[in-house]
Amino acid sequence: MHDRLMLGKYYPGKSIMHRLDPRTKLILLILLMVTLLIPKTILPILLLFIGSVGLIIISKIPLKEILSSLRSIMFILVFAFLINLFSGKGPIILDLGILKITQDGLLNAILMSVRLILLVIDTTLFLTLTTTPLQLSHALENLLKPLSVIRFPAHEIAMMMSIALRFVPTLFEETDKIMKAQSSRGANYDVGGFFNKIKGYISIIVPLFISCFRRADELANAMEARCYHGGKGRTKLNELRYTTLDLLFSLIFIICCVIILFTHYQMPNLI
Amino acid sequence: MPFLKEQILKRTQTFNHTESSSYPGSDDSLILADNVSFAYPASDGSSSDIVALKNVSIKINKGKHVAILGRNGSGKSTLAKLINALEIPDQGKVIVFGHDTSDKSSLWSVRQACGMVFQNPDNQIVGTTVEEDVAFGPENLGVPSDDIRCRVDRSLSRVGLEQYALKAPSQLSGGQKQKLAIAGILAMQPDCVILDEATSMLDPKSAKDFLKLIKELQQEFSMTVVEITHDIENAVTADYIYIMQQGEIFFSGTPREVFTRPDKVLSAGLDLPQHLYINYLFQNSFSHEALESLHEKHPDDIFTPEETVDAMFELQNIASPQTITSPAKKYSYSNQTLISVEKLSYTYQKGTEFAVDALKEVSFQVEQGEMIAIVGHSGSGKSTLISHLNGLFVPQTGQVEVMNLNTRNKKNIREIRKFLGLLFQYPEHQLFENTVYEDIAFGPKQFGFSESEIEKNIKQAIDIVGLSQDILQRSPFELSGGQQRRVAIAGVLATDCEIFVLDEPAAGLDPIGQQEIINYIMHLQKLRKTVILVTHDMKLAARADRILVLNEGSVAAYDTAENIFSNQKILTAAGLEVPPAYKFARLISEKFSCEIDGYTAEDVNYNLLKHLNNRRQSNA
């Protein structure tokens, strides 16, 4: 049930993409997004496309898994494609009365779609498919650590994230249990007027809330009993470490991005 | 596990302990509570504080296994929290292996030394993976990464979870989750482990495994074990027992010292081990004089089953029993079929790689007025089966008919749920209304009862569960756990069903609470209602007319208690145990050279007395 909520699921593996430090992946992803958003011509986007295919190949993740992440943005994709398709200027290819498809419009629509697709594919590739949520929260905690000077609660936020992740399945199970219990008492969630439905959902939400508070209370006790006292002086089982792989990968990655941006700025007229 | 112990000690030694080490009578080898009192601040702020502990003194030697017994709300868990420094005493002192818990600087050494396993397996797991969770404690202690890895691997393999290291905790069973909690504590290299009703949410087999693991660890690391429990049969194996009542130590002693005073144990609202309870019932059937002369001839401290059966034999040689009270008789039931399940199969996530067969061709029938117990270990399909009975699940294959209404027909569902009240485990978690009255009325209202009917039904329901009228206008969330359970049960009673399906109705309650639940069930039987009971408790199952044994989703047996408990093959296959009373009955049969049967203490006692009387009469 909860799988539907996630944008993509972690795909276990030992590829280069999996072995990169999550911090490297986060930073490089930001660079990649910038590179994706600036150019609007064919050549840099073609290069980006080739680059992304390269990333998919080295990640060793089946194409099916990667493409399934596009399902959630299908609507936006089609919408953006159509808007661009009908709003171009220049020579008309097809005249449909009020709507006219132009050469520019078609090109723009295709480029726009490719950019959107690449954006989603690269993000899921970097963040969800090859990185566990836990690694991600560690990376965030680590990258935001310098901000603790201005009392930014980096550790607390990361801890909250990982506890939330830990309890997602538990709370889904609990919701299911409560729904079954209330249904057995005659609660009905499908029929009746608006008011009846709301009333039905209250019978789930109230026990769920109470259970969350109880769990939170007990978990706080359990954490304290295991000597939890905030992020100070805390070590990690899997300490994040940059390796030569990170260095090499980052170098190649940055050079590629620079080349792509160069083609955009220096050869704007080259289609 | 000597690794890194020095390092932790070094860390802790940098703190100042002058006060604690000079504390009279304390040394590093024991846990000491000296005249401790503790009160929780009142939740509404206006009334006085809620006293949880009054002048409690205990002394636990290193490496010993100590059991703390008492009713719910007697202060046991509070005492555990004081030992772990989760709470600091208002008065008196708690000294843990030389550290005063009120000394802030020794807080982390106390908590490192005393690991704690809580009741609810889910609410103590922090990590998103099994190994992350084990690492949580050492991470907090600031242990270097490499050493954490070493500790995590050792702890996981010690409790036998190494193959789950990278799995999400939600993929573990309840028993495995509690073992994970133990691994998390082991990784902190503790001297003591506190179990706060740690087995009460596990099935008997997992509980047994868990306690076996604890015993091994106790011997391996000469670890101190403080066990808070309702499980009398396990408390018997402790080195020392404290019994608490209303925040005070009621009395204490070795198991032999404690259980040779049955009156006192029962007056604290606790159970006796079954053989001692049978002896207690047996002795009560004899005159005062007979017992006096037994005391003169026979040693007084009977504790083991063998000693008990000897004393019982001696007693019947001295005198003959005076009174025989017959135990509650079973009610006859008509042979009108109420529930009929035919070739029911169900597979979770059917058609995917995660497919699990929960039920396989299950067929059985339930007659009007019958009491059925459904038994089987966790994951044997019990919950899936009962969810089919009121149409929460529609059969994938096979049929379920309740009062001749098929659950496949959507129009029947409402009617079925009106006739068949289903109460899941921990039903108090389903309460949600503003007042107890409204909550109990929720079901009847949904089923279209009139206001006056509802009022009448509620009055009857709260009478059965023993709640007072004035509780009706209070919020259900102000009540104690036991009271909430009764409100939830009243909620199903108030719908005036024909069939009651109860999933572990007594789970998590203390012995008196459990007895009350049994009384409600017996009351329903008296009203000729049909009861289906899902339970792990063989003592309870033995009271049923028929027992349905589920094993791996299939019906292993569906027969009377007599036929099932005498068939060792079925029991072993389904991982079940005979009720302890039945085991003791075998011992009695041997000693008295006769055939005594019975699955509850009352039955065994009655059958024995009846046999003795018959023998006397035929001799005369």
Side-chain angles (χ1 to χ4, degrees):
Chain A
M1 189 176 179
H2 53 275
D3 289 347
R4 264 180 268 149
L5 282 182
M6 309 283 179
L7 254 175
K9 242 172 45 185
Y10 177 68
Y11 191 87
K14 286 195 162 70
S15 73
I16 295 175
M17 288 295 286
H18 285 89
R19 277 181 290 150
L20 283 177
D21 189 292
R23 289 170 297 182
T24 313
K25 284 191 260 190
L26 260 180
I27 294 166
L28 293 183
L29 181 66
I30 294 168
L31 177 65
L32 181 64
M33 282 175 149
V34 173
T35 321
L36 257 170
L37 290 175
I38 292 173
K40 289 186 176 58
T41 49
I42 295 177
L43 184 63
I45 290 178
L46 187 67
L47 289 175
L48 277 166
F49 180 78
I50 294 168
S52 300
V53 170
L55 286 175
I56 292 172
I57 290 169
I58 61 165
S59 75
K60 292 183 180 158
I61 292 173
L63 201 62
K64 205 183 96 200
E65 292 286 328
I66 292 166
L67 293 181
S68 70
S69 62
L70 290 177
R71 222 178 297 150
S72 52
I73 61 145
M74 220 46 198
F75 175 75
I76 303 170
L77 204 60
V78 172
F79 188 71
F81 184 83
L82 291 177
I83 289 280
N84 277 286
L85 190 62
F86 296 119
S87 60
K89 290 183 189 95
I92 293 164
I93 309 173
L94 192 66
D95 200 333
L96 298 170
I98 339 159
L99 298 169
K100 293 174 181 61
I101 298 174
T102 68
Q103 212 176 0
D104 273 10
L106 183 63
L107 187 65
N108 276 340
I110 292 171
L111 289 183
M112 185 63 184
S113 310
V114 171
R115 277 180 9 180
L116 259 176
I117 290 171
L118 291 185
L119 193 69
V120 171
I121 284 182
D122 289 334
T123 314
T124 46
L125 194 56
F126 273 84
L127 290 190
T128 53
L129 286 168
T130 65
T131 318
T132 63
L134 193 71
Q135 284 175 325
L136 206 63
S137 81
H138 281 182
L140 270 179
E141 178 182 2
N142 203 283
L143 289 173
L144 294 175
K145 217 180 213 168
L147 290 181
S148 57
V149 180
I150 56 162
R151 292 179 176 245
F152 183 80
H155 165 76
E156 283 75 8
I157 287 176
M159 183 53 91
M160 275 159 58
M161 270 178 62
S162 90
I163 288 176
L165 281 170
R166 145 79 187 89
F167 276 92
V168 164
T170 311
L171 291 180
F172 268 102
E173 207 177 292
E174 176 113 37
T175 312
D176 189 48
K177 263 189 209 160
I178 296 172
M179 270 183 91
K180 279 169 78 181
Q182 306 296 29
S183 301
S184 303
R185 294 168 79 188
N188 210 326
Y189 305 113
D190 314 319
V191 294
F194 177 73
F195 185 76
N196 253 357
K197 277 187 192 163
I198 294 287
K199 179 89 185 160
Y201 283 107
I202 285 176
S203 73
I204 299 173
I205 290 164
V206 171
L208 196 60
F209 255 82
I210 285 165
S211 136
C212 282
F213 280 114
R214 192 184 51 243
R215 284 182 192 280
D217 191 43
E218 286 179 21
L219 185 69
N221 261 331
M223 286 171 72
E224 275 195 49
R226 285 161 79 182
C227 296
Y228 181 70
H229 53 285
K232 220 176 139 194
R234 208 162 179 272
T235 48
K236 285 261 163 63
L237 168 66
N238 298 313
E239 211 69 70
L240 296 174
R241 264 192 215 105
Y242 292 116
T243 59
T244 25
L245 179 73
D246 289 290
L247 187 70
L248 282 174
F249 189 89
S250 305
L251 267 176
I252 298 168
F253 196 91
I254 292 167
I255 290 169
C256 290
C257 287
V258 168
I259 291 173
I260 291 165
L261 289 175
F262 181 82
T263 58
H264 168 71
Y265 285 112
Q266 298 302 315
M267 297 178 268
N269 299 324
L270 205 104
I271 290 183
Chain B
M1 253 197 257
F3 56 100
L4 272 168
K5 190 127 209 176
E6 297 79 22
Q7 207 160 342
I8 299 235
L9 285 177
K10 223 179 273 165
R11 265 172 65 93
T12 54
Q13 271 161 7
T14 54
F15 299 124
N16 181 8
H17 295 311
T18 42
E19 194 196 351
S20 55
S21 50
S22 68
Y23 194 76
S26 95
D27 59 62
D28 321 351
S29 68
L30 43 85
I31 297 172
L32 194 78
D34 186 27
N35 223 2
V36 166
S37 298
F38 182 80
Y40 289 103
S43 51
D44 51 6
S46 58
S47 50
S48 57
D49 292 352
I50 303 146
V51 178
L53 292 176
K54 278 176 285 187
N55 308 323
V56 168
S57 295
I58 61 168
K59 194 171 138 188
I60 300 170
N61 282 314
K62 198 173 176 186
K64 295 289 180 202
H65 174 193
V66 171
I68 301 177
L69 310 176
R71 293 206 64 185
N72 285 346
S74 60
K76 307 183 304 286
S77 292
T78 308
L79 184 57
K81 282 184 184 168
L82 286 168
I83 296 173
N84 196 277
L86 283 173
E87 303 285 1
I88 305 300
D90 295 337
Q91 274 163 37
K93 275 193 185 302
V94 177
I95 313 289
V96 176
F97 304 125
H99 302 299
D100 186 337
T101 60
S102 63
D103 179 1
K104 281 225 164 71
S105 61
S106 58
L107 193 60
W108 309 120
S109 11
V110 170
R111 289 187 188 164
Q112 178 266 320
C114 293
M116 194 152 161
V117 183
F118 296 84
Q119 182 176 16
N120 190 326
D122 266 319
N123 298 352
Q124 51 189 317
I125 298 173
V126 191
T128 41
T129 63
V130 166
E131 64 168 26
E132 284 281 344
D133 189 66
V134 179
F136 184 73
E139 285 178 344
N140 290 331
L141 293 171
V143 177
S145 295
D146 297 345
D147 300 317
I148 299 183
R149 167 57 60 195
C150 180
R151 290 183 183 205
V152 167
D153 292 347
R154 279 196 201 202
S155 308
L156 277 178
S157 73
R158 183 62 199 82
V159 302
L161 287 178
E162 61 269 44
Q163 70 270 40
Y164 295 98
L166 295 173
K167 291 255 159 54
S170 56
Q171 289 170 281
L172 303 182
S173 70
Q176 288 172 327
K177 282 177 188 165
Q178 291 302 62
K179 283 186 179 172
L180 170 58
I182 284 289
I185 288 166
L186 277 185
M188 294 173 76
Q189 299 171 342
D191 298 308
C192 165
V193 50
I194 305 167
L195 311 174
D196 189 357
E197 295 189 36
T199 55
S200 70
M201 289 174 84
L202 304 183
D203 67 74
K205 194 174 173 298
S206 311
K208 222 172 140 187
D209 279 358
F210 179 83
L211 292 169
K212 193 173 143 243
L213 176 69
I214 294 289
K215 274 276 178 219
E216 286 168 13
L217 294 175
Q218 186 203 347
Q219 275 153 20
E220 230 169 289
F221 304 115
S222 62
M223 193 139 59
T224 313
V225 176
V226 181
E227 186 189 9
I228 292 167
T229 187
H230 291 310
D231 177 2
I232 292 294
E233 308 288 338
N234 192 56
V236 168
T237 65
D239 295 307
Y240 202 79
I241 294 176
Y242 285 99
I243 292 181
M244 296 194 64
Q245 198 177 34
Q246 292 172 346
E248 289 174 283
I249 301 286
F250 182 55
F251 79 117
S252 66
T254 61
R256 182 177 282 275
E257 283 163 10
V258 166
F259 289 116
T260 43
R261 294 154 85 184
D263 285 311
K264 224 168 170 185
V265 175
L266 291 172
S267 75
L270 299 175
D271 266 344
L272 288 169
Q274 284 283 294
H275 64 272
L276 292 175
Y277 185 55
I278 291 171
N279 181 47
Y280 175 78
L281 294 174
F282 187 69
Q283 292 200 347
N284 279 353
S285 321
F286 285 83
S287 67
H288 200 65
E289 291 75 36
L291 292 175
E292 291 273 289
S293 53
L294 175 73
H295 286 320
E296 282 162 22
K297 285 187 189 164
H298 200 85
D300 214 7
D301 60 333
I302 47 170
F303 176 58
T304 65
E306 288 74 23
E307 289 167 7
T308 313
V309 80
D310 283 346
M312 285 167 78
F313 194 72
E314 193 82 22
L315 181 57
Q316 62 94 31
N317 277 340
I318 296 168
S320 53
Q322 284 190 316
T323 49
I324 299 185
T325 43
S326 73
K329 60 175 184 298
K330 283 181 177 171
Y331 295 93
S332 60
Y333 52 90
S334 66
N335 47 6
Q336 176 203 352
T337 304
L338 276 197
I339 300 176
S340 141
V341 175
E342 244 167 85
K343 296 213 159 142
L344 174 67
S345 299
Y346 194 86
T347 307
Y348 283 99
Q349 305 194 315
K350 201 174 186 173
T352 72
E353 53 187 310
F354 308 106
V356 186
D357 289 335
L359 293 176
K360 290 176 233 163
E361 304 236 320
V362 171
S363 302
F364 67 97
Q365 292 184 333
V366 180
E367 316 294 330
Q368 205 280 323
E370 215 179 354
M371 178 172 163
I372 302 290
I374 301 180
V375 301
H377 57 82
S378 300
S380 59
K382 304 189 299 283
S383 301
T384 314
L385 178 58
I386 61 168
S387 298
H388 275 95
L389 297 181
N390 73 346
L392 287 171
F393 286 176
V394 178
Q396 284 172 344
T397 56
Q399 306 293 334
V400 177
E401 277 185 14
V402 178
M403 305 181 86
N404 295 322
L405 297 167
N406 195 310
T407 59
R408 279 184 190 279
N409 189 343
K410 273 204 164 162
K411 284 181 203 142
N412 288 339
I413 298 290
R414 207 178 123 87
E415 200 72 352
I416 289 173
R417 288 186 186 160
K418 194 174 158 184
F419 286 134
L420 185 146
L422 191 152
L423 211 56
F424 282 104
Q425 263 183 65
Y426 301 96
E428 58 272 28
H429 295 170
Q430 71 187 21
L431 305 180
F432 72 100
E433 290 278 16
N434 290 325
T435 66
V436 170
Y437 183 93
E438 283 173 68
D439 213 295
I440 300 176
F442 178 74
K445 247 185 218 164
Q446 296 290 319
F447 293 124
F449 285 59
S450 72
E451 276 301 326
S452 60
E453 273 179 303
I454 292 176
E455 212 174 319
K456 194 187 93 210
N457 285 1
I458 289 181
K459 212 174 141 16
Q460 281 174 354
I462 63 166
D463 268 353
I464 297 175
V465 299
L467 288 171
S468 63
Q469 284 281 341
D470 53 291
I471 221 166
L472 286 175
Q473 293 313 317
R474 284 173 63 188
S475 160
F477 305 114
E478 293 170 7
L479 309 179
S480 73
Q483 283 175 318
Q484 287 184 347
R485 174 81 54 101
R486 293 188 210 179
V487 171
I489 292 173
V492 65
L493 293 176
T495 53
D496 200 22
C497 312
E498 277 309 308
I499 309 164
F500 290 86
V501 182
L502 309 172
D503 186 359
E504 290 285 2
L509 297 178
D510 57 31
I512 288 188
Q514 294 193 5
Q515 187 54 50
E516 278 167 8
I517 301 282
I518 293 173
N519 295 344
Y520 308 154
I521 295 169
M522 292 301 138
H523 185 85
L524 290 175
Q525 281 273 285
K526 209 154 72 187
L527 297 173
R528 294 287 199 274
K529 302 282 186 186
T530 310
V531 179
I532 297 178
L533 199 64
V534 175
T535 185
H536 287 310
D537 185 352
M538 290 302 135
K539 276 190 286 180
L540 195 53
R543 292 169 183 268
D545 297 309
R546 281 196 281 178
I547 300 177
L548 178 79
V549 183
L550 272 185
N551 188 23
E552 314 277 332
S554 308
V555 177
Y558 186 39
D559 213 332
T560 57
E562 287 78 14
N563 289 342
I564 283 180
F565 289 129
S566 56
N567 189 337
Q568 195 57 45
K569 226 163 103 189
I570 297 174
L571 293 174
T572 331
L576 301 174
E577 293 223 356
V578 289
Y582 182 72
K583 269 190 209 163
F584 189 57
R586 304 267 56 77
L587 206 61
I588 293 177
S589 303
E590 229 171 83
K591 181 83 187 174
F592 288 74
S593 41
C594 61
E595 204 44 54
I596 301 294
D597 262 335
Y599 305 96
T600 64
E602 287 80 7
D603 281 349
V604 172
N605 179 48
Y606 177 71
N607 291 342
L608 175 61
L609 292 176
K610 208 168 71 182
H611 168 79
L612 293 177
N613 268 9
N614 286 347
R615 188 191 272 179
R616 207 167 296 270
Q617 271 162 19
S618 61
N619 283 354

